[in-house]
Amino acid sequence: DGGITQSPKYLFRKEGQNVTLSCEQNLNHDAMYWYRQDPGQGLRLIYYSQIVNDFQKGDIAEGYSVSREKKESFPLTVTSAQKNPTAFYLCASSISRDTTYEQYFGPGTRLTVT
Amino acid sequence: GQSLEQPSEVTAVEGAIVQINCTYQTSGFYGLSWYQQHDGGAPTFLSYNALDGLEETGRFSSFLSRSDSYGYLLLQELQMKDSASYFCAVRDQSGGYQKVTFGIGTKLQVIP
């Protein structure tokens, strides 16, 4: 079955530590996205990548970094510079840059930093 | 930049019809998507409108008026399982890249 996997489902870290969230897709999609969702809030775009080895900052990129070395993988690193990292992180993909309106989401990673 | 407005909460009775409105402001507008998200789950794509008019998919319909910068999602024959949050999302172009901006979501509660 094709889909997007994110691991782990729950992640706990101490303040000051960097943490990397995994996102893998086997849908053969070109475009991938990272969103952050806070309680009662919409999805805010962190980073997106429309092709391998290329990515752009979204609306809230500060304190985050990404890489896109393979089509299937788009890991997100939450650095210690991110002031309020506790949130629900969602990874998504779309077939191409032209179908960004229809995104397929992974199950999410709930990150808690104390 | 972009901005979207949708009601934060709506309550409706099982079997009834409910309309969730979305107004937006953006440049380089391509279209409007709708997503459903159950508590703790991942958003799932419902519909997309690029042109004016109504698109129907089963019990769900979505409408767009580009001249009014307005759209809505219509849910008919409401079922308890429709209780979820519904997000409108604008697809637009900025700096040569297309992206989607989501609204804050409307929490729909279906009551017996």
Side-chain angles (χ1 to χ4, degrees):
Chain A
D1 281 340
I4 301 178
T5 56
Q6 292 185 244
S7 60
K9 190 170 178 68
Y10 298 94
L11 190 55
F12 298 88
R13 280 292 183 271
K14 295 287 188 187
E15 202 173 303
Q17 294 178 334
N18 291 356
V19 58
T20 296
L21 310 185
S22 164
C23 177
E24 303 280 331
Q25 55 100 356
N26 60 4
L27 299 166
N28 199 32
H29 286 180
D30 285 332
M32 297 187 74
Y33 314 83
W34 273 106
Y35 294 92
R36 169 186 172 134
Q37 187 173 33
D38 295 284
Q41 299 289 315
L43 284 70
R44 291 185 290 167
L45 183 64
I46 304 172
Y47 269 97
Y48 59 109
S49 167
Q50 298 190 332
I51 53 172
V52 175
N53 292 322
D54 186 38
F55 50 82
Q56 291 78 42
K57 293 182 180 180
D59 300 317
I60 55 166
E62 185 175 347
Y64 300 98
S65 66
V66 293
S67 63
R68 186 87 189 276
E69 297 174 2
K70 297 187 301 182
K71 188 174 185 177
E72 304 79 22
S73 179
F74 191 39
L76 173 75
T77 297
V78 184
T79 75
S80 56
Q82 167 50 233
K83 297 204 184 322
N84 187 16
T86 294
F88 187 44
Y89 290 88
L90 287 157
C91 178
S93 71
S94 64
I95 294 173
S96 73
R97 65 180 73 191
D98 295 323
T99 59
T100 186
Y101 56 87
E102 182 175 354
Q103 296 183 18
Y104 296 77
F105 283 82
T109 292
R110 199 166 295 275
L111 173 65
T112 302
V113 177
T114 57
Chain B
Q2 307 89 352
S3 72
L4 296 96
E5 287 191 16
Q6 53 181 131
S8 57
E9 294 182 1
V10 172
T11 300
V13 178
E14 189 177 14
I17 299 172
V18 71
Q19 178 174 314
I20 299 173
N21 297 321
C22 175
T23 58
Y24 59 87
Q25 286 186 319
T26 184
S27 55
F29 177 81
Y30 274 65
L32 190 70
S33 299
W34 288 92
Y35 288 78
Q36 177 193 62
Q37 184 182 32
H38 287 98
D39 279 349
T44 56
F45 172 79
L46 293 176
S47 68
Y48 175 67
N49 295 66
L51 303 175
D52 286 356
L54 190 69
E55 297 274 348
E56 298 182 57
T57 309
R59 294 188 296 114
F60 292 5
S61 303
S62 57
F63 172 83
L64 176 66
S65 169
R66 295 174 69 110
S67 60
D68 294 324
S69 297
Y70 164 74
Y72 66 73
L73 180 69
L74 191 73
L75 293 79
Q76 303 182 73
E77 301 171 18
L78 280 172
Q79 301 176 8
M80 299 301 290
K81 68 178 182 179
D82 296 330
S83 293
S85 291
Y86 293 85
F87 295 88
C88 59
V90 163
R91 173 193 179 206
D92 62 9
Q93 180 138 339
S94 173
Y97 294 95
Q98 288 185 31
K99 67 184 184 77
V100 162
T101 301
F102 285 79
I104 64 166
T106 298
K107 191 173 180 69
L108 170 64
Q109 183 181 13
V110 180
I111 58 176

